[in-house]
Amino acid sequence: MILLKSPQEIAKMEKANRYVAEILAEIKERIRPGMETRELDVIAEEGCRRRQVKPAFKGYRNFPACICVSVNEEVVHGIPGHRRLKEGDLVSLDFGVQCDGFFGDAAITVAVGEVSSQARRLMRATEESLYAAINQVKAGERLSNLSHATQKVVEDYGFAVIRQFVGHGIGRSLHEDPQLPNFGPPGRGPIMQVGLTLAIEPMTSAGSWQVRILKDGWTAVTKDGSLSAHFEHTVALTEKGVLILSKL
Ligand code: MG
């Protein structure tokens, strides 16, 4: 069941998502070669403490950190630790908070220093595909238009969309209906209505879309070891059209 949100509820979600965007921007600003990925988690945790909000991922199904840090072939759900970032790494940061009873969720992929031209293209394709999906958020239209738009952009670049993970509704819960795959034909699924709130999150691979999960039980990596990127925004469908809540 899709839980539509009132303008008051969307205002609360806007606040939660603004904090998410601010904290992600802080991390992006401070990321450097030589840092351990757990240092990024410390920045996220301090950002939450300063704003008196609760990190959404810590403890979620026993996830041990505030932020997911996924490097290079890691697609999503990477656990911050002692791995040191180096020049040329591609780092995906997925982060959420809970504030006034509502969740915010967003992700960015950041280049550590100079990265390869393939890495830059993959980032561009992934972010572009996110905005292509956001442009399809329209009252009266079908949800799978977003899936199709995402896949088209990514595949036109010659890359692949990850199929094992999906975007999702969001609100008083981190994950609500509907599920939003990043691939598939348009014109299917639920009809979008004003009050819909979605976390749209294309994940991509420079090689094959297949992933496997590491022994830590969380980290998803591309099976063929190719580079991966991830961008996510939480958006709301309002009377005035789509609103990106997790944008500064
Ligand atoms: Mg999400």
Side-chain angles (χ1 to χ4, degrees):
M1 192 182 58
I2 297 174
L3 300 168
L4 299 175
K5 313 301 186 296
S6 68
Q8 292 75 19
E9 290 173 318
I10 290 172
K12 288 184 177 179
M13 290 185 66
E14 201 167 6
K15 189 173 160 195
N17 278 285
R18 190 175 62 244
Y19 291 145
V20 170
E22 285 175 5
I23 293 168
L24 281 173
E26 272 176 41
I27 297 171
K28 182 179 178 179
E29 171 71 29
R30 289 170 64 183
I31 214 162
R32 295 282 183 278
M35 279 174 110
E36 290 186 0
T37 55
R38 67 188 175 92
E39 294 176 63
L40 309 180
D41 191 53
V42 171
I43 301 171
E45 189 154 32
E46 279 172 357
C48 287
R49 196 178 311 129
R50 261 204 320 276
R51 293 168 179 83
Q52 297 182 305
V53 295
K54 203 171 158 287
F57 301 167
K58 196 160 197 168
Y60 181 85
R61 294 184 183 165
N62 292 323
F63 189 77
C66 296
I67 191 166
C68 299
V69 181
S70 307
V71 184
N72 295 336
E73 77 287 356
E74 296 173 354
V75 178
V76 73
H77 302 155
I79 301 172
H82 291 287
R83 179 171 183 165
R84 274 191 198 281
L85 298 176
K86 55 184 195 315
E87 178 94 15
D89 279 344
L90 210 52
V91 184
S92 296
L93 305 165
D94 191 355
F95 179 61
V97 306
Q98 188 185 22
C99 171
D100 295 343
F102 286 88
F103 283 91
D105 190 4
I108 54 174
T109 297
V110 178
V112 181
E114 276 297 306
V115 298
S116 68
S117 61
Q118 184 194 50
R120 280 198 305 273
R121 272 189 89 240
L122 184 66
M123 288 170 74
R124 195 186 322 136
T126 311
E127 192 167 21
E128 248 176 52
S129 79
L130 169 59
Y131 283 92
I134 291 170
N135 283 332
Q136 294 297 325
V137 179
K138 292 171 195 162
E141 302 287 341
R142 298 268 180 186
L143 184 69
S144 86
N145 294 359
L146 282 64
S147 311
H148 182 71
T150 303
Q151 182 177 21
K152 178 158 182 12
V153 170
V154 172
E155 292 185 354
D156 282 354
Y157 269 90
F159 299 130
V161 288
I162 303 296
R163 301 183 177 215
Q164 193 166 334
F165 301 102
V166 295
H168 50 92
I170 179 169
R172 289 185 192 274
S173 301
L174 182 59
H175 296 113
E176 294 183 354
D177 286 342
Q179 292 202 348
L180 174 62
N182 291 307
F183 66 97
R188 302 198 183 168
I191 293 173
M192 293 178 276
Q193 296 178 59
V194 168
L196 176 70
T197 48
L198 284 175
I200 306 173
E201 49 178 327
M203 285 157 244
T204 59
S205 158
S208 138
W209 55 266
Q210 286 174 315
V211 300
R212 66 186 175 88
I213 308 297
L214 298 185
K215 285 205 180 71
D216 63 21
W218 279 104
T219 314
V221 299
T222 53
K223 252 186 190 169
D224 60 6
S226 54
L227 275 182
S228 181
H230 180 198
F231 283 86
E232 174 180 25
H233 271 311
T234 294
V235 307
L237 180 47
T238 72
E239 292 288 352
K240 291 179 187 160
V242 67
L243 203 64
I244 304 177
L245 303 179
S246 52
K247 204 173 180 181
L248 285 182

